[in-house]
């Protein structure tokens, strides 16, 4: 959808230029632009159940990068925010008292809208222990996949151990 929006913007600029006497290609009129939806049919949406999140929380991770990525994953799950909104903007100063409770106040990337998010117990624990360092979204996505593989392998191993105990 981002690509189609940029093409649409370019097409608009070219049409405006044409109105001001700038020569543009006549093929411009033949360019068709797909109207993207916020959720296309072919888009992969991955959701985690509470049980899966608990497995990820309990997984024994050795690498500090994986441990930090797990913290980001848990923060993302329990705040419902986009990766960039949290990893680039969340810091100790984002946490504010909201009555008797703690809340996160950040400006979301799309629309730059200020948002207040209630701090759930898992988020509060990560906040208390120290927020993970900021990471590039693509790097985080790769770590999330690796954590998923590690968690799956551990679950299979635990299952086999339980079978042997019986």
């Amino acid at each position: 959808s981002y690509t189609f929006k940029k093409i649409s913007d370019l097409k608009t600029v070219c049409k405006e230029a044409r109105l001001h006497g700038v020569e543009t290609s006549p093929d411009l009129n033949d360019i068709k632009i797909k109207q993207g939806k916020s959720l296309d049919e072919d888009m992969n949406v991955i959701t985690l159940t509470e049980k899966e999140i608990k497995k990820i929380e309990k997984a024994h991770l050795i690498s500090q990068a994986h441990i930090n990525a797990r913290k980001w994953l848990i923060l993302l799950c329990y705040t419902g925010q986009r990766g960039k909104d949290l990893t680039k903007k969340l810091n100790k100063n984002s946490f504010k008292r909201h009555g008797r409770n703690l809340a996160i106040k950040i400006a979301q990337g799309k629309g730059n809208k200020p948002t207040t998010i209630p701090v759930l117990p898992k988020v509060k624990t990560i906040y208390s222990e120290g927020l993970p360092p900021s990471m590039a979204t693509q790097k985080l996505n790769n770590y999330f996949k690796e954590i998923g593989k590690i968690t799956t392998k551990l679950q299979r191993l635990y299952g086999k151990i339980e079978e042997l105990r019986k």
Side-chain angles (χ1 to χ4, degrees), residues 132-151:
S134 183
M135 277 191 220
T137 308
Q138 186 57 50
K139 198 174 254 191
L140 260 180
N141 287 337
N142 291 335
Y143 286 137
F144 291 164
K145 290 173 191 172
E146 291 170 12
I147 291 168
K149 288 176 186 174
I150 291 167
T151 304

Side-chain angles (χ1 to χ4, degrees), residues 94-106:
S94 305
F95 289 79
K96 307 283 184 195
R97 283 269 156 227
H98 192 72
R100 299 175 112 184
N101 300 314
L102 201 56
I104 296 171
K105 294 191 180 209
I106 60 170

Side-chain angles (χ1 to χ4, degrees), residues 64-99:
Q64 190 60 46
H66 285 132
I67 292 167
N68 288 332
R70 174 175 50 197
K71 287 180 181 181
W72 280 119
L73 182 57
I74 292 166
L75 287 167
L76 292 166
C77 287
Y78 286 102
T79 61
Q81 297 301 296
R82 291 181 190 89
K84 278 188 180 177
D85 286 342
L86 233 49
T87 60
K88 300 297 178 214
K89 297 177 183 177
L90 187 71
N91 59 49
K92 288 269 188 192
N93 297 330
S94 305
F95 289 79
K96 307 283 184 195
R97 283 269 156 227
H98 192 72

Side-chain angles (χ1 to χ4, degrees), residues 10-54:
L10 183 59
K11 195 172 169 182
T12 301
V13 168
C14 289
K15 285 181 180 180
E16 182 70 19
R18 187 183 290 162
L19 290 174
H20 292 282
V22 176
E23 186 179 335
T24 61
S25 171
D27 295 333
L28 180 66
N29 298 331
D30 297 332
I31 297 173
K32 301 293 181 221
I33 299 170
K34 173 185 167 190
Q35 290 297 318
K37 300 176 195 167
S38 60
L39 184 63
D40 285 340
E41 299 300 322
D42 62 349
M43 182 183 245
N44 289 332
V45 177
I46 299 170
T47 59
L48 297 173
T49 65
E50 192 172 348
K51 188 176 178 180
E52 290 169 326
I53 295 170
K54 286 189 186 308

